[in-house]
Amino acid sequence: MSSTASAKNGTWRNWGGNVASRPAREVAPASAEEVSAAVRRAAEDGLTVKAVGSGHSFTSIAATDGVLIRPQLLTGIRKIDRDAMTVTVEAGTPLRRLNMALAREGLSLTNMGDIMEQTVSGATSTGTHGTGRESASIAAQIKGLELVTGDGSVLTCSEKENPEVFAAARIGLGALGIVTAITFAVEPIFLLTAREEPMPLDRILADFDELWAENEHFEFYWFPHTGNTNTKRNNRSAGPEKPVSPVAGWIEDEFLSNGVFQVAQWVGRAAPATVPAIARISSRALSARSYTDIPYKVFTSPRRVHFVEMEYAVPREALTETLREIRTMVDRSGLRISFPVEVRTAPADDITLSTASDRDSAYIAVHMFRGTPYQAYFTAAERVFTAHGGRPHWGKVHTRDADYFSRVYPRFGEFTALRDRLDPDRRFQNDYLRRVLGS
C-alpha cells in the first residue's frame, strides 16, 4: 500500500488501515465550481458529501457512504503574494509539494508537523501541528479560506471577511463545508539547526520548563519500559547549511527509524514478552547528532512503519504530572508497548476547536504498531488524559463525544451554531461528526 489511503473495489481505506467505508460514488473535481456542482448534485440525490485527503487520520472523520470527493485534481499554487507574504494553494495539494514549491521560491511556512504526506486541507481541518514555543499549528498560519457550504455556495473568509467563519473553519473538521483553497502566511526561507540526543526521562520531567523555554521547537520521544528518551531541539541558525549526509541519513532515518524499527515491531507483535528488551535496545540505537538545513528537511521525516495513534492536548503546566501517570499506568498494566510516546507543545491560539484554543498546550501521543491490539493501552491512556481535561486530536483515535467536548471547549456552542447556519441540512454529516458535534 502506498503512503496514502487506498481504494479497492469501491472501498475506501485510511493509511492506518483501521477505517474503511463504501461511498455511493466518487468524484474528483478540479475547481471550486466543480465542488459546488458535486454538492448540489448530492443534495438532489439525497446523499451526504465528504472530502478526503491522503487518509492520514485514524478516526472515521472522512468516511462516508455518500459522495466521496477525491483531492488529486485540486492541487497546485494559485498565487504567491510577496507584498503580503502569503501563498494561496488548492486544498488538495500535498504538504510535500507545497513545501518543495515554496523552497524553490525562497519561502517557507514558519512551523509544520513531522510528516508531509497529508493534503493541506486534510492537515489543517484536523488540527495537525508540530512543536513550538511561539509558533503554532499549521492551521494557525492560515490567512484566508475558500469554502463550499451546504447549499453549494462558495464563501471566502479571513480576519476581515466573514471573521466568525474564519475563527472556526481553519480547523473545521469537514463539518462547515468543503475547503477548496487556503491562503497561508509564509516567510523568507531560513535555516534550522536540529540537535538530537538521548536524555533520561527523569531529567526531562525535572527540567521540562527550562528545556521548553530555551528552544524554539522542543520535542522528545520516551520509550516505555525504559527510563530513556530521545530529544530533538530545533532552533533558527545563521548557517552554514550542514545537512545530514546521505549515508548517515539512510542509516538513521531509513534503516534504524523505519527498517530495523519495522522488524522490531514484527518481533514485538509476534512475541510481546520481548518488547521491553527491544525497547531498551531501540532507545539506545539512535546516537546524538546535529545538522542544519531548510525547515521542511528538519521538521519532517519519513514514516514508513504503519501504526495507529491516539494523541491528547493537555494544559502545558499539566504535562509532567500526566506523563508520570502514563508511566505508572504502563508499569502496572502488564501491557507491552513497543512504540515510543511522543511529546510536543504549542502556544495558545484563537481557533474555535483547536486543541490549543485559548490555552498553552502539551501534546502526548501514544502509538501501537498496525495490527497489534491497541484498545487496552489507548483506553488506559485516555483515562489519564481526560482526567486532566485533555482534548484529543481530531484525526487520531479517541472515544469522546459532544457532551465531553462541550465541557473542554469553552466555544463549542459557537462552532455548532455556525454549523447550523452553514450546513443546516447536514450535507457534510457522517457518523464521526454526529458523535463529536451532536446531531
Side-chain angles (χ1 to χ4, degrees):
M1 191 158 108
S2 74
S3 64
T4 57
S6 69
K8 286 194 185 79
N9 45 12
T11 302
W12 174 85
R13 281 181 200 287
N14 69 338
W15 181 87
N18 65 320
V19 177
S21 67
R22 288 188 73 94
R25 64 169 179 257
E26 294 190 12
V27 291
S31 64
E33 293 70 38
E34 288 182 19
V35 172
S36 292
V39 169
R40 282 196 291 268
R41 200 184 139 207
E44 284 161 22
D45 298 342
L47 293 170
T48 54
V49 186
K50 289 313 298 175
V52 295
S54 59
H56 257 274
S57 287
F58 301 98
T59 57
S60 50
I61 191 164
T64 184
D65 55 8
V67 178
L68 185 74
I69 293 188
R70 291 255 174 203
Q72 58 266 32
L73 301 179
L74 271 176
T75 58
I77 289 180
R78 270 193 202 177
K79 180 178 165 211
I80 292 175
D81 182 336
R82 287 182 187 273
D83 295 326
M85 284 307 275
T86 60
V87 57
T88 301
V89 60
E90 304 284 346
T93 309
L95 284 167
R96 175 185 300 281
R97 278 187 56 187
L98 172 62
N99 286 334
M100 291 170 81
L102 287 175
R104 282 197 297 273
E105 297 285 341
L107 301 168
S108 177
L109 294 171
T110 298
N111 199 358
M112 54 194 82
D114 57 6
I115 55 172
M116 49 180 183
E117 312 311 319
Q118 314 99 312
T119 60
V120 292
S121 65
T124 54
S125 296
T126 54
T128 297
H129 61 89
T131 190
R133 187 181 57 203
E134 285 103 18
S135 52
S137 72
I138 306 179
Q141 300 169 64
I142 293 177
K143 290 291 178 198
L145 281 174
E146 180 182 83
L147 191 70
V148 174
T149 59
D151 62 1
S153 51
V154 181
L155 189 73
T156 55
C157 61
S158 65
E159 280 171 357
K160 294 193 173 61
E161 195 179 4
N162 298 304
E164 72 300 339
V165 177
F166 183 67
R170 283 173 286 169
I171 298 180
L173 317 186
L176 305 176
I178 291 173
V179 176
T180 46
I182 301 177
T183 300
F184 289 105
V186 291
E187 56 176 305
I189 202 161
F190 52 94
L191 292 174
L192 284 171
T193 293
R195 263 178 69 196
E196 296 175 8
E197 64 177 333
M199 195 178 286
L201 178 63
D202 288 334
R203 189 189 145 196
I204 288 184
L205 293 174
D207 299 344
F208 178 75
D209 289 341
E210 228 164 284
L211 289 160
W212 170 81
E214 285 169 2
N215 295 285
E216 291 170 61
H217 310 273
F218 178 68
E219 64 187 298
F220 66 93
Y221 298 83
W222 164 58
F223 294 81
H225 313 297
T226 78
N228 306 332
T229 78
N230 210 30
T231 63
K232 186 173 181 183
R233 291 173 254 196
N234 300 329
N235 290 289
R236 293 199 182 209
S237 160
E241 269 186 60
K242 271 203 324 218
V244 178
S245 82
V247 173
W250 183 83
I251 289 172
E252 299 258 321
D253 297 326
E254 289 303 323
F255 183 63
L256 289 174
S257 300
N258 286 302
V260 173
F261 192 54
Q262 175 88 48
V263 174
Q265 296 300 319
W266 283 330
V267 172
R269 185 167 69 184
T274 61
V275 165
I278 291 172
R280 284 191 293 276
I281 296 163
S282 300
S283 66
R284 297 203 178 97
L286 296 168
S287 48
R289 65 174 179 173
S290 184
Y291 50 95
T292 302
D293 214 328
I294 59 174
Y296 82 83
K297 293 185 178 178
V298 173
F299 284 130
T300 70
S301 49
R303 291 273 188 279
R304 301 194 212 292
V305 180
H306 285 237
F307 53 81
V308 180
E309 179 177 1
M310 167 183 278
E311 180 185 71
Y312 268 75
V314 296
R316 200 182 69 233
E317 63 274 14
L319 170 69
T320 53
E321 177 58 28
T322 309
L323 211 53
R324 283 192 179 98
E325 289 170 25
I326 293 283
R327 178 172 62 179
T328 304
M329 176 274 290
V330 169
D331 290 345
R332 287 184 185 159
S333 66
L335 292 166
R336 294 288 175 253
I337 311 304
S338 59
F339 241 92
V341 173
E342 182 181 21
V343 179
R344 296 176 289 173
T345 67
D349 64 41
D350 61 352
I351 304 170
T352 316
L353 290 187
S354 163
T355 43
S357 185
D358 297 323
R359 75 180 189 195
D360 292 338
S361 300
Y363 294 94
I364 304 175
V366 296
H367 311 70
M368 279 297 244
F369 184 43
R370 188 165 93 185
T372 312
Y374 60 82
Q375 284 80 358
Y377 178 36
F378 284 13
T379 301
E382 192 169 43
R383 211 171 285 136
V384 174
F385 296 144
T386 53
H388 292 279
R391 298 167 176 172
H393 188 303
W394 296 107
K396 295 174 187 177
V397 177
H398 68 88
T399 65
R400 303 295 89 192
D401 60 13
D403 179 53
Y404 179 84
F405 291 123
S406 67
R407 295 198 301 274
V408 295
Y409 284 102
R411 296 158 65 194
F412 187 76
E414 201 181 297
F415 189 96
T416 53
L418 183 65
R419 182 191 186 207
D420 290 341
R421 197 183 101 202
L422 297 181
D423 186 23
D425 302 329
R426 298 293 185 261
R427 190 64 47 220
F428 308 115
Q429 175 85 285
N430 65 2
D431 290 344
Y432 180 78
L433 293 181
R434 204 172 280 119
R435 169 164 72 93
V436 302
L437 296 177
S439 38

